[in-house]
Amino acid sequence: MSYDKPLPVIDHDSAPYWDAAREGRLDIPLCDDCGKHHFYPRAVCPHCFSDKLTFDTVSGRGTVHTFTIATRPAGPAFADDVPYVVALIDLEEGPRMMSRVKTDDPYGVNIGDKVEVIFVKATDEVTFPYFKLAV
Ligand SMILES: [Zn+2]
């Protein structure tokens, strides 16, 4: 089955994140100098500008900071997905990341809901970290 939605461009900085997702882990950069996590992956820490970064496996638990419900498909490939939830998730470790909340009831999602990561394979190379409501 072919995948006809846009795919991320995987570069030097983000490759460990995508490698981990493919293996079912949420790994995000951790700064060896200031001890803070950040997201998205990049060459230097946004807190202290250090380039001493390692990827750390985090809990995958977070909270819905805000969200929108997409009701109009962004293109034909998304027609079967709508309505779907695009959310900003505040991870327990601090960083905020944009993702989807996968649920059978998009209109039941609320700001402040607890979520946990799930992994949705798109292609052999790309698996997306999405979230589901925590029970
Ligand atoms: Zn830092």
Side-chain angles (χ1 to χ4, degrees), residues 64-122:
V64 175
H65 174 76
T66 192
F67 68 97
T68 190
I69 301 172
T71 57
R72 186 184 298 252
F78 292 89
D80 291 339
D81 290 9
V82 294
Y84 61 86
V85 177
V86 178
L88 289 175
I89 306 296
D90 288 337
L91 298 175
E92 277 189 354
E93 292 78 8
R96 179 172 292 163
M97 63 185 288
M98 184 176 286
S99 184
R100 281 207 201 175
V101 177
K102 300 283 277 183
T103 172
D104 293 335
D105 180 18
Y107 296 95
V109 173
N110 290 290
I111 289 171
D113 281 352
K114 299 293 184 193
V115 291
E116 55 192 39
V117 74
I118 57 173
F119 296 94
V120 177
K121 181 177 178 177

Side-chain angles (χ1 to χ4, degrees), residues 19-82:
D19 289 346
R22 209 169 46 243
E23 295 166 7
R25 298 188 318 276
L26 185 60
D27 287 8
I28 65 172
L30 174 64
C31 176
D32 296 337
D33 277 331
C34 75
K36 293 178 182 170
H37 292 90
H38 66 266
F39 190 83
Y40 58 90
R42 66 200 89 173
V44 297
C45 172
H47 305 291
C48 74
F49 306 108
S50 170
D51 62 359
K52 296 189 186 67
L53 305 172
T54 53
F55 276 78
D56 183 43
T57 302
V58 293
S59 66
R61 291 188 298 270
T63 305
V64 175
H65 174 76
T66 192
F67 68 97
T68 190
I69 301 172
T71 57
R72 186 184 298 252
F78 292 89
D80 291 339
D81 290 9
V82 294

